[in-house]
Amino acid sequence: MAETLTKEPFGDEWIKNLSDSNLQELISELKERTKLFNCENESFQRYIDRVDPRMEDVTQGLVQEASDAEDADHIRPKPRSEAADRTLRLSWEQKVTVVQSEQDAYKHEINGLEKTSEALLHNYRAELEALVVIQKEINKSSNEFSKSFATTGRGDLMKPIYYEKFLKFIQDSMRQRDTIVDKLRLKNSALHTQLRKSREQLRQKEELGEVLRPVDFEQLKIDNSECLRKIDERNQEIQRLKLVAGKTLQVLNAYKLQLTQAIKEKERIKLEIAQRLDIKRRAKSEMVTVKKEVKEETKANKEFQEHKSSYNVPSVIDLIKLKSEEREIIRKELIHRRKLHLAQMALDRHKKIWLRIRHATADTIA
Protein backbone atom coordinates (compact mmCIF):
# COMPACT_ATOMS: atom_id res chain seq x y z
CA MET A 1 0.00 0.00 0.00
CA ALA A 2 2.87 2.35 0.77
CA GLU A 3 4.43 1.59 -2.61
CA THR A 4 1.12 2.36 -4.32
CA LEU A 5 0.89 5.63 -2.43
CA THR A 6 4.40 6.71 -3.32
CA LYS A 7 4.51 5.55 -6.91
CA GLU A 8 1.06 6.39 -8.29
CA PRO A 9 -0.03 10.01 -8.74
CA PHE A 10 -2.80 11.46 -6.69
CA GLY A 11 -6.05 11.13 -8.56
CA ASP A 12 -9.51 9.79 -8.40
CA GLU A 13 -9.22 6.75 -10.68
CA TRP A 14 -6.99 4.54 -8.56
CA ILE A 15 -8.78 5.55 -5.35
CA LYS A 16 -12.11 4.48 -6.81
CA ASN A 17 -10.65 1.08 -7.62
CA LEU A 18 -9.69 0.46 -3.94
CA SER A 19 -11.89 -1.52 -1.61
CA ASP A 20 -13.09 -0.32 1.79
CA SER A 21 -10.47 -2.32 3.70
CA ASN A 22 -7.71 -0.95 1.47
CA LEU A 23 -9.00 2.56 1.99
CA GLN A 24 -8.99 2.07 5.78
CA GLU A 25 -5.43 0.76 5.65
CA LEU A 26 -4.45 3.70 3.45
CA ILE A 27 -6.06 6.18 5.86
CA SER A 28 -4.37 4.62 8.92
CA GLU A 29 -1.02 4.62 7.13
CA LEU A 30 -1.48 8.26 6.14
CA LYS A 31 -2.31 9.13 9.76
CA GLU A 32 0.82 7.38 11.04
CA ARG A 33 2.99 9.08 8.43
CA THR A 34 1.36 12.42 9.23
CA LYS A 35 2.14 11.97 12.94
CA LEU A 36 5.72 11.06 12.08
CA PHE A 37 6.10 14.07 9.79
CA ASN A 38 4.58 16.37 12.42
CA CYS A 39 7.02 15.05 15.03
CA GLU A 40 9.94 15.57 12.64
CA ASN A 41 8.72 19.06 11.77
CA GLU A 42 8.39 20.02 15.45
CA SER A 43 11.87 18.69 16.22
CA PHE A 44 13.31 20.51 13.21
CA GLN A 45 11.50 23.72 14.20
CA ARG A 46 12.94 23.54 17.73
CA TYR A 47 16.37 22.84 16.26
CA ILE A 48 16.09 25.92 14.01
CA ASP A 49 14.94 28.04 16.94
CA ARG A 50 17.96 26.93 18.95
CA VAL A 51 20.51 27.28 16.16
CA ASP A 52 19.37 30.47 14.42
CA PRO A 53 15.92 31.98 14.95
CA ARG A 54 16.37 34.06 11.77
CA MET A 55 15.97 30.91 9.67
CA GLU A 56 12.32 30.72 10.74
CA ASP A 57 11.26 33.06 7.92
CA VAL A 58 13.07 30.93 5.35
CA THR A 59 11.42 27.81 6.73
CA GLN A 60 7.99 29.39 6.61
CA GLY A 61 8.64 30.40 2.99
CA LEU A 62 9.58 26.83 2.10
CA VAL A 63 6.48 25.53 3.82
CA GLN A 64 4.35 28.07 1.94
CA GLU A 65 5.91 27.03 -1.36
CA ALA A 66 5.26 23.40 -0.52
CA SER A 67 1.62 24.14 0.27
CA ASP A 68 1.25 26.12 -2.97
CA ALA A 69 2.79 23.27 -4.91
CA GLU A 70 0.42 20.84 -3.22
CA ASP A 71 -2.56 23.03 -4.15
CA ALA A 72 -1.32 23.16 -7.72
CA ASP A 73 -1.03 19.39 -7.74
CA HIS A 74 -4.64 19.15 -6.64
CA ILE A 75 -5.71 21.51 -9.43
CA ARG A 76 -3.65 19.80 -12.12
CA PRO A 77 -2.24 16.53 -10.93
CA LYS A 78 1.45 16.15 -11.78
CA PRO A 79 4.19 14.15 -10.12
CA ARG A 80 6.37 16.15 -7.76
CA SER A 81 9.81 16.91 -9.03
CA GLU A 82 12.99 15.63 -7.48
CA ALA A 83 14.18 19.21 -6.87
CA ALA A 84 11.14 19.88 -4.67
CA ASP A 85 11.80 16.64 -2.74
CA ARG A 86 15.39 17.64 -2.22
CA THR A 87 14.24 21.07 -1.05
CA LEU A 88 11.62 19.84 1.42
CA ARG A 89 13.26 16.65 2.75
CA LEU A 90 16.26 16.20 5.07
CA SER A 91 19.00 13.65 4.64
CA TRP A 92 19.65 10.97 7.26
CA GLU A 93 22.78 12.77 8.49
CA GLN A 94 20.77 15.95 9.00
CA LYS A 95 18.04 14.03 10.81
CA VAL A 96 20.64 12.43 13.10
CA THR A 97 22.08 15.88 13.82
CA VAL A 98 18.62 17.20 14.66
CA VAL A 99 17.90 14.20 16.92
CA GLN A 100 21.23 14.58 18.72
CA SER A 101 20.52 18.26 19.22
CA GLU A 102 17.08 17.38 20.61
CA GLN A 103 18.67 14.81 22.92
CA ASP A 104 21.23 17.33 24.18
CA ALA A 105 18.47 19.89 24.69
CA TYR A 106 16.38 17.39 26.65
CA LYS A 107 19.41 16.45 28.76
CA HIS A 108 20.13 20.10 29.44
CA GLU A 109 16.49 20.67 30.34
CA ILE A 110 16.48 17.60 32.61
CA ASN A 111 19.67 18.80 34.33
CA GLY A 112 18.11 22.21 34.81
CA LEU A 113 14.97 20.64 36.23
CA GLU A 114 17.08 18.45 38.53
CA LYS A 115 19.02 21.47 39.78
CA THR A 116 15.81 23.45 40.24
CA SER A 117 14.16 20.52 42.01
CA GLU A 118 17.20 20.04 44.21
CA ALA A 119 17.23 23.73 45.10
CA LEU A 120 13.50 23.61 45.87
CA LEU A 121 14.03 20.46 47.92
CA HIS A 122 16.82 22.14 49.90
CA ASN A 123 14.62 25.18 50.45
CA TYR A 124 11.73 23.01 51.60
CA ARG A 125 14.04 21.09 53.92
CA ALA A 126 15.41 24.32 55.35
CA GLU A 127 11.88 25.65 55.83
CA LEU A 128 10.86 22.36 57.44
CA GLU A 129 13.84 22.47 59.80
CA ALA A 130 13.02 26.07 60.63
CA LEU A 131 9.41 25.11 61.32
CA VAL A 132 10.56 22.22 63.51
CA VAL A 133 12.84 24.57 65.45
CA ILE A 134 10.02 27.09 65.80
CA GLN A 135 7.65 24.34 66.94
CA LYS A 136 10.20 23.18 69.53
CA GLU A 137 10.64 26.75 70.75
CA ILE A 138 6.87 27.18 70.98
CA ASN A 139 6.49 23.91 72.89
CA LYS A 140 9.36 24.86 75.18
CA SER A 141 7.85 28.29 75.85
CA SER A 142 4.44 26.73 76.41
CA ASN A 143 5.87 24.23 78.89
CA GLU A 144 7.79 26.94 80.72
CA PHE A 145 4.66 29.09 80.84
CA SER A 146 2.62 26.15 82.12
CA LYS A 147 5.19 25.43 84.81
CA SER A 148 5.45 29.07 85.85
CA PHE A 149 1.74 29.89 85.66
CA ALA A 150 -0.65 27.05 86.40
CA THR A 151 -4.11 28.20 85.24
CA THR A 152 -6.03 25.10 86.31
CA GLY A 153 -7.17 24.26 89.80
CA ARG A 154 -9.44 21.99 91.79
CA GLY A 155 -13.07 22.72 91.12
CA ASP A 156 -13.78 26.36 90.44
CA LEU A 157 -10.65 27.54 92.22
CA MET A 158 -7.88 28.79 89.96
CA LYS A 159 -4.41 29.91 90.83
CA PRO A 160 -4.07 33.67 90.18
CA ILE A 161 -1.44 34.98 87.75
CA TYR A 162 0.62 37.82 89.17
CA TYR A 163 1.32 40.72 86.84
CA GLU A 164 4.95 41.22 87.88
CA LYS A 165 5.80 37.55 87.45
CA PHE A 166 4.09 37.39 84.07
CA LEU A 167 5.83 40.57 82.91
CA LYS A 168 9.20 39.20 84.03
CA PHE A 169 8.52 35.96 82.17
CA ILE A 170 7.67 37.87 78.98
CA GLN A 171 10.76 40.07 79.31
CA ASP A 172 13.01 37.05 79.83
CA SER A 173 11.48 35.35 76.81
CA MET A 174 11.98 38.44 74.66
CA ARG A 175 15.55 38.79 75.90
CA GLN A 176 16.27 35.18 74.96
CA ARG A 177 14.72 35.73 71.54
CA ASP A 178 16.82 38.87 71.04
CA THR A 179 19.95 36.93 71.98
CA ILE A 180 19.09 34.18 69.51
CA VAL A 181 18.35 36.76 66.80
CA ASP A 182 21.69 38.49 67.43
CA LYS A 183 23.52 35.17 67.19
CA LEU A 184 21.74 34.30 63.96
CA ARG A 185 22.44 37.78 62.56
CA LEU A 186 26.14 37.43 63.36
CA LYS A 187 26.20 33.96 61.83
CA ASN A 188 24.39 35.24 58.73
CA SER A 189 26.82 38.15 58.35
CA ALA A 190 29.76 35.75 58.73
CA LEU A 191 28.28 33.49 56.06
CA HIS A 192 27.73 36.48 53.76
CA THR A 193 31.33 37.57 54.31
CA GLN A 194 32.58 34.09 53.55
CA LEU A 195 30.40 33.93 50.43
CA ARG A 196 31.69 37.31 49.27
CA LYS A 197 35.29 36.20 49.81
CA SER A 198 34.65 32.97 47.91
CA ARG A 199 33.10 34.87 45.02
CA GLU A 200 36.01 37.31 45.00
CA GLN A 201 38.50 34.44 44.95
CA LEU A 202 36.55 32.76 42.15
CA ARG A 203 36.48 36.01 40.17
CA GLN A 204 40.22 36.49 40.68
CA LYS A 205 40.87 32.94 39.53
CA GLU A 206 38.72 33.49 36.45
CA GLU A 207 40.49 36.78 35.68
CA LEU A 208 43.85 35.12 36.23
CA GLY A 209 42.85 32.33 33.89
CA GLU A 210 41.81 34.88 31.26
CA VAL A 211 44.98 36.97 31.70
CA LEU A 212 47.40 34.04 31.36
CA ARG A 213 49.51 34.13 28.20
CA PRO A 214 51.97 31.70 26.57
CA VAL A 215 54.83 33.49 28.32
CA ASP A 216 53.20 32.74 31.64
CA PHE A 217 52.92 29.08 30.71
CA GLU A 218 56.61 29.04 29.77
CA GLN A 219 57.43 30.62 33.12
CA LEU A 220 55.27 28.00 34.81
CA LYS A 221 57.17 25.28 32.95
CA ILE A 222 60.48 26.76 34.11
CA ASP A 223 59.19 26.97 37.68
CA ASN A 224 57.91 23.41 37.38
CA SER A 225 61.32 22.16 36.20
CA GLU A 226 63.00 24.05 39.05
CA CYS A 227 60.56 22.49 41.51
CA LEU A 228 61.22 19.05 40.02
CA ARG A 229 64.98 19.60 40.41
CA LYS A 230 64.48 20.62 44.02
CA ILE A 231 62.25 17.60 44.54
CA ASP A 232 65.00 15.34 43.16
CA GLU A 233 67.53 16.95 45.49
CA ARG A 234 65.17 16.50 48.40
CA ASN A 235 64.60 12.88 47.41
CA GLN A 236 68.35 12.26 47.32
CA GLU A 237 68.68 13.95 50.69
CA ILE A 238 65.84 11.77 51.97
CA GLN A 239 67.59 8.64 50.67
CA ARG A 240 70.83 9.69 52.40
CA LEU A 241 68.96 10.40 55.60
CA LYS A 242 67.24 7.03 55.29
CA LEU A 243 70.66 5.32 55.06
CA VAL A 244 71.87 7.28 58.07
CA ALA A 245 68.65 6.42 59.88
CA GLY A 246 69.16 2.73 59.01
CA LYS A 247 72.69 2.73 60.40
CA THR A 248 71.51 4.65 63.45
CA LEU A 249 68.74 2.11 63.90
CA GLN A 250 71.25 -0.74 63.76
CA VAL A 251 73.44 0.96 66.38
CA LEU A 252 70.34 1.67 68.44
CA ASN A 253 69.30 -1.98 68.25
CA ALA A 254 72.80 -3.04 69.37
CA TYR A 255 72.64 -0.63 72.29
CA LYS A 256 69.15 -1.86 73.10
CA LEU A 257 70.45 -5.44 73.15
CA GLN A 258 73.30 -4.41 75.44
CA LEU A 259 70.85 -2.51 77.61
CA THR A 260 68.60 -5.58 77.80
CA GLN A 261 71.55 -7.75 78.80
CA ALA A 262 72.64 -5.16 81.37
CA ILE A 263 69.10 -5.03 82.77
CA LYS A 264 69.05 -8.84 83.03
CA GLU A 265 72.46 -8.80 84.75
CA LYS A 266 71.19 -6.09 87.07
CA GLU A 267 68.14 -8.18 87.95
CA ARG A 268 70.37 -11.21 88.56
CA ILE A 269 72.69 -9.18 90.80
CA LYS A 270 69.67 -7.76 92.65
CA LEU A 271 68.36 -11.28 93.21
CA GLU A 272 71.76 -12.48 94.37
CA ILE A 273 72.10 -9.49 96.72
CA ALA A 274 68.64 -10.20 98.11
CA GLN A 275 69.56 -13.86 98.63
CA ARG A 276 72.82 -12.93 100.35
CA LEU A 277 71.05 -10.38 102.53
CA ASP A 278 68.57 -13.09 103.49
CA ILE A 279 71.44 -15.43 104.29
CA LYS A 280 73.09 -12.68 106.32
CA ARG A 281 69.85 -12.02 108.20
CA ARG A 282 69.44 -15.73 108.92
CA ALA A 283 73.09 -15.95 110.00
CA LYS A 284 72.59 -13.03 112.36
CA SER A 285 69.48 -14.67 113.77
CA GLU A 286 71.29 -17.98 114.16
CA MET A 287 74.26 -16.16 115.72
CA VAL A 288 71.97 -14.58 118.30
CA THR A 289 70.40 -17.98 118.98
CA VAL A 290 73.81 -19.62 119.25
CA LYS A 291 74.99 -16.90 121.61
CA LYS A 292 71.95 -17.53 123.80
CA GLU A 293 72.58 -21.29 123.70
CA VAL A 294 76.28 -20.77 124.47
CA LYS A 295 75.33 -18.56 127.40
CA GLU A 296 72.85 -21.15 128.66
CA GLU A 297 75.34 -23.99 128.16
CA THR A 298 78.01 -21.98 129.91
CA LYS A 299 75.67 -21.39 132.79
CA ALA A 300 74.66 -25.08 132.89
CA ASN A 301 78.31 -26.14 132.69
CA LYS A 302 79.16 -23.80 135.51
CA GLU A 303 76.34 -25.21 137.61
CA PHE A 304 77.46 -28.74 136.72
CA GLN A 305 81.01 -27.94 137.70
CA GLU A 306 79.80 -26.48 140.97
CA HIS A 307 77.60 -29.55 141.58
CA LYS A 308 80.48 -31.80 140.61
CA SER A 309 82.83 -30.08 142.98
CA SER A 310 80.29 -30.39 145.82
CA TYR A 311 79.28 -34.05 145.07
CA ASN A 312 80.07 -36.73 147.72
CA VAL A 313 80.37 -40.44 146.76
CA PRO A 314 78.25 -42.73 149.05
CA SER A 315 79.91 -45.54 151.03
CA VAL A 316 79.92 -49.26 150.09
CA ILE A 317 77.67 -50.24 152.98
CA ASP A 318 75.01 -47.77 151.86
CA LEU A 319 75.24 -49.18 148.35
CA ILE A 320 74.76 -52.74 149.61
CA LYS A 321 71.74 -51.67 151.65
CA LEU A 322 70.21 -49.93 148.66
CA LYS A 323 70.78 -53.00 146.48
CA SER A 324 69.15 -55.30 149.05
CA GLU A 325 66.20 -52.94 149.35
CA GLU A 326 65.89 -52.90 145.58
CA ARG A 327 65.85 -56.72 145.41
CA GLU A 328 63.22 -56.85 148.14
CA ILE A 329 61.04 -54.35 146.30
CA ILE A 330 61.36 -56.35 143.05
CA ARG A 331 60.39 -59.59 144.89
CA LYS A 332 57.34 -57.95 146.44
CA GLU A 333 56.37 -56.61 143.01
CA LEU A 334 56.50 -60.13 141.54
CA ILE A 335 54.38 -61.49 144.40
CA HIS A 336 51.76 -58.80 143.91
CA ARG A 337 51.68 -59.44 140.15
CA ARG A 338 51.03 -63.16 140.75
CA LYS A 339 48.27 -62.34 143.21
CA LEU A 340 46.76 -59.94 140.72
CA HIS A 341 46.85 -62.60 138.02
CA LEU A 342 45.17 -65.16 140.29
CA ALA A 343 42.51 -62.63 141.27
CA GLN A 344 41.86 -61.86 137.61
CA MET A 345 41.44 -65.58 136.86
CA ALA A 346 39.05 -65.99 139.81
CA LEU A 347 37.05 -62.97 138.60
CA ASP A 348 36.72 -64.46 135.13
CA ARG A 349 35.60 -67.79 136.57
CA HIS A 350 32.99 -66.14 138.80
CA LYS A 351 31.69 -64.09 135.81
CA LYS A 352 31.20 -67.26 133.79
CA ILE A 353 29.40 -68.96 136.68
CA TRP A 354 27.16 -65.93 137.18
CA LEU A 355 26.30 -65.81 133.49
CA ARG A 356 25.34 -69.52 133.49
CA ILE A 357 23.18 -68.98 136.56
CA ARG A 358 21.53 -65.98 134.93
CA HIS A 359 20.77 -67.88 131.73
CA ALA A 360 19.42 -70.83 133.70
CA THR A 361 17.15 -68.51 135.74
CA ALA A 362 15.92 -66.85 132.58
CA ASP A 363 15.10 -70.24 131.01
CA THR A 364 13.25 -71.34 134.16
CA ILE A 365 11.15 -68.18 134.20
CA ALA A 366 10.35 -68.60 130.52
Side-chain angles (χ1 to χ4, degrees), residues 22-249:
N22 292 331
L23 286 173
Q24 289 179 357
E25 291 179 359
L26 179 61
I27 290 169
S28 62
E29 184 179 357
L30 287 173
K31 286 181 179 180
E32 294 294 332
R33 293 183 66 183
T34 303
K35 289 180 181 179
L36 180 61
F37 288 151
N38 289 331
C39 182
E40 290 180 356
N41 291 332
E42 290 175 359
S43 300
F44 185 63
Q45 185 64 39
R46 288 193 295 270
Y47 174 73
I48 290 172
D49 293 337
R50 285 194 302 273
V51 174
D52 191 1
R54 292 176 296 179
M55 293 180 65
E56 186 176 0
D57 298 333
V58 179
T59 307
Q60 290 179 357
L62 292 174
V63 172
Q64 185 65 32
E65 290 178 0
S67 61
D68 294 339
E70 187 175 357
D71 293 337
D73 288 338
H74 282 294
I75 295 171
R76 45 187 183 84
K78 289 183 180 180
R80 288 177 295 178
S81 63
E82 295 180 357
D85 289 339
R86 285 195 300 270
T87 303
L88 296 177
R89 293 182 181 276
L90 296 175
S91 63
W92 286 107
E93 291 81 3
Q94 292 173 345
K95 289 182 180 181
V96 169
T97 303
V98 172
V99 171
Q100 288 179 352
S101 177
E102 283 290 311
Q103 185 179 4
D104 295 336
Y106 282 131
K107 286 182 179 179
H108 182 70
E109 185 177 358
I110 289 170
N111 292 328
L113 290 174
E114 287 180 353
K115 291 180 180 179
T116 305
S117 302
E118 188 174 359
L120 289 174
L121 183 61
H122 285 302
N123 291 331
Y124 289 149
R125 285 178 179 173
E127 291 177 359
L128 182 61
E129 291 177 358
L131 291 174
V132 170
V133 172
I134 292 170
Q135 183 66 30
K136 288 182 179 179
E137 290 293 331
I138 291 172
N139 292 332
K140 183 178 178 181
S141 300
S142 177
N143 293 328
E144 290 178 356
F145 184 81
S146 299
K147 290 179 181 179
S148 300
F149 308 100
T151 57
T152 59
R154 182 179 296 175
D156 296 333
L157 298 177
M158 296 179 64
K159 187 177 180 180
I161 299 175
Y162 296 100
Y163 171 74
E164 292 82 3
K165 190 175 181 181
F166 178 75
L167 183 61
K168 184 179 179 182
F169 176 78
I170 295 298
Q171 290 176 355
D172 293 337
S173 300
M174 295 300 294
R175 195 178 297 110
Q176 290 177 1
R177 296 294 174 85
D178 292 337
T179 304
I180 294 171
V181 169
D182 292 336
K183 289 181 180 179
L184 292 175
R185 188 180 292 110
L186 291 174
K187 186 176 181 181
N188 192 13
S189 62
L191 290 174
H192 278 296
T193 304
Q194 186 177 0
L195 180 61
R196 187 169 60 254
K197 289 181 180 179
S198 300
R199 287 178 178 175
E200 185 67 23
Q201 290 177 359
L202 183 61
R203 186 181 62 79
Q204 290 177 359
K205 287 182 180 180
E206 290 177 354
E207 290 178 356
L208 182 62
E210 293 176 356
V211 171
L212 288 176
R213 291 172 294 179
V215 178
D216 298 327
F217 287 106
E218 294 295 332
Q219 183 64 33
L220 289 174
K221 286 182 180 179
I222 294 170
D223 295 338
N224 190 16
S225 62
E226 184 68 21
C227 291
L228 290 174
R229 185 181 61 79
K230 290 182 179 179
I231 289 170
D232 292 334
E233 292 178 357
R234 296 293 185 274
N235 288 330
Q236 292 177 2
E237 184 69 18
I238 289 169
Q239 293 295 330
R240 187 182 65 79
L241 292 175
K242 283 183 178 179
L243 292 174
V244 174
K247 293 180 180 179
T248 306
L249 186 62

Side-chain angles (χ1 to χ4, degrees), residues 42 88 93 130 152 211 237 268 288 299 311 329 357 364:
E42 290 175 359
L88 296 177
E93 291 81 3
T152 59
V211 171
E237 184 69 18
R268 187 186 65 78
V288 172
K299 185 178 180 181
Y311 179 71
I329 291 170
I357 293 169
T364 304

